Amino acid sequence: MTLTLLDEFSGWGGSSSGATAVQGIELMMALNHNQLSIEVHSKNFPRADHYCGDVAKADITRLPRADLYWGSPACPKWSNARGVARDFDNSLQGVMFDDELGVVSDPEVVRSRALMEEVPRYLRAMALKGKPVLAGVVENVVECRRWDEWPRWIGEIQAEGYETKVIAFNSMHAAGVNTRRAPQSRDRLYVAFWLRSLRRTPDWNKWLRPKAYCPTCDGQVYAMQVFKNLRNDMGRYGQTNGQYMYRCPHSTCRFEVIEPHVVPAVEVIDFSIPMGKPIGERTSKSGKDRAIVDATKAKVEIGLERIRRTGLMRPFIAELRGGGSTVRGIDKPLATFSAQGYHHALVTPPGTEGIDWRHLLLPYYSNGVPHAVTEPLRTLTTRARYALIEVPDSLRVDDCRIRMLTPPEIGAGMAFPLGYKTAGKPSDHVRGYGNAVTPPVAEVLMSALYEAISGEQLALAA
């Protein structure tokens, strides 16, 4: 069965890449206001139609009807980015009474809300044509759930004959069959909807329960999402600071808290790229640059101190010769090999298996601190904010080397396909990737909807 897809606010093409990775889904049309994004999207989806312009001003009745819909309205003004609190939960304040009070609303805030209205507007227009959209997904940041117009907005979708499901999902937990895994912790809100007349509900338990190892059951299980506050349906993942976590679905282990499998950042880092000068050798020409260097050194020191404080050990070589053993670090030359047998043993302390001890990742956020490359990246944004740090044996800040992650590494961190075509400057690439949807999430959600529409059963990732 073939289903057509319309991707509104298509951006760099992450949602289109993931959705069309589902066999049987074909992209009919993509829309975006940014000319460069449309250029990139056209390169990668040449058989689809493309519309470049402000969709809020377009005659929506002239848009083609598709079986499936994906919408990713602009999100920056919904999130509390850079420490600026947004007023999305007071949407009428400063809007209804602008003229009377002489207040000028932030046009970007107004636009973010207007773009959300495009979703029910398109669904209504297609229904009036007598050919309703069968199902779809809307993606945004998790803060969007606090919008005071939320009940009315989602109610308008439901009024068009749709069932809905609000989904909190982190990109690092999405395992598609035909897309790469995203080695990035990226929390987003998704609203899936499907026609009641289909008389089939997507099997969300099949598609939204990531694999994990349960130490009590001593086996692989499909983890169960549990909110700490059962009244919530949206939030971020995290056992300590998040709003939800995952538990084993088996009562025999008392539903133990478990961690889903993830892909580490080290999988997408190109270690062949030369590092920069040691931090201590960097000079600056202005006070502003000096402040940036000092702030960077302070954050790097936090990462180094964690290594010192926890007493983490690196693998080492034990030279086993007769009556004793000499120990030396793996950064040192090996002792002489002899013809009498094996004398060099690699010793890996518990918990250090597979760890890259020579590198840390530094996210350039106000609260960002270095973390191991064996962990997923934190959320990638529209700016180059991630640096790779080479840790010296001395564990001194001034001896550390550092470089920013490159656009190809960021694209891989977003799980875009290998060989994805781009355009524009490197900063445009970073912005395009940072605004995108990670393809594996789109594949997973669209797989669930495709099954509900077609009645076919799709395979899960191995």
Side-chain angles (χ1 to χ4, degrees), residues 212-216 223-224 226 228 237-240 244-249 253-260:
Y213 172 74
C214 177
T216 303
M224 180 173 59
V226 178
K228 299 173 184 177
Y237 169 73
Q239 293 186 20
T240 303
Y244 73 89
M245 53 191 170
Y246 285 97
R247 292 184 179 273
C248 178
C253 68
R254 303 178 66 86
F255 306 109
E256 181 168 330
V257 175
I258 53 179
E259 290 276 0

Side-chain angles (χ1 to χ4, degrees), residues 99-273:
D99 293 337
E100 295 180 24
L101 302 179
V103 176
V104 178
S105 298
D106 183 340
E108 289 300 320
V109 174
V110 174
R111 178 170 174 78
S112 289
R113 294 169 184 146
L115 294 181
M116 285 290 285
E117 303 295 349
E118 288 302 299
V119 180
R121 195 164 80 99
Y122 175 74
L123 298 179
R124 192 176 302 117
M126 297 305 106
L128 290 173
K129 284 185 175 183
K131 295 182 178 180
V133 174
L134 301 180
V137 176
V138 182
E139 177 262 357
N140 217 303
V141 293
V142 297
E143 290 88 351
C144 183
R145 181 63 179 85
R146 291 160 49 197
W147 181 27
D148 64 345
E149 290 290 296
W150 180 270
R152 188 269 310 161
W153 176 81
I154 200 168
E156 290 190 11
I157 294 176
Q158 294 165 347
E160 294 301 323
Y162 296 96
E163 297 287 348
T164 60
K165 181 174 177 62
V166 179
I167 300 167
F169 203 35
N170 190 299
S171 290
M172 65 183 175
H173 297 148
V177 174
N178 300 309
T179 49
R180 308 164 72 182
R181 292 291 298 268
Q184 176 193 176
S185 178
R186 187 183 188 88
D187 289 295
R188 287 294 184 267
L189 168 151
Y190 303 90
V191 177
F193 56 88
W194 60 97
L195 281 175
R196 295 189 193 95
S197 58
L198 292 172
R199 300 188 183 280
R200 274 195 294 260
T201 299
D203 188 351
W204 298 115
N205 282 335
K206 174 181 176 179
W207 293 101
L208 296 180
R209 291 173 61 171
K211 279 186 178 180
Y213 172 74
C214 177
T216 303
C217 297
D218 191 24
Q220 300 294 325
V221 300
Y222 288 98
M224 180 173 59
Q225 184 186 63
V226 178
F227 276 84
K228 299 173 184 177
N229 184 336
L230 298 182
R231 293 177 296 180
N232 291 342
D233 62 4
M234 184 50 54
R236 301 180 186 279
Y237 169 73
Q239 293 186 20
T240 303
N241 299 321
Q243 287 71 53
Y244 73 89
M245 53 191 170
Y246 285 97
R247 292 184 179 273
C248 178
H250 301 147
S251 59
T252 52
C253 68
R254 303 178 66 86
F255 306 109
E256 181 168 330
V257 175
I258 53 179
E259 290 276 0
H261 300 310
V262 297
V263 174
V266 69
E267 294 290 328
V268 297
I269 296 173
D270 183 355
F271 291 102
S272 69
I273 299 175

Side-chain angles (χ1 to χ4, degrees), residues 8 228 237-238 297 347 364 382 389:
E8 195 170 15
K228 299 173 184 177
Y237 169 73
K297 291 175 67 174
V347 180
Y364 275 90
T382 57
I389 303 168

Side-chain angles (χ1 to χ4, degrees), residues 345-360:
L346 175 64
V347 180
T348 306
T352 65
E353 295 86 352
I355 293 179
D356 182 337
W357 289 105
R358 293 188 57 82
H359 297 89
L360 292 172

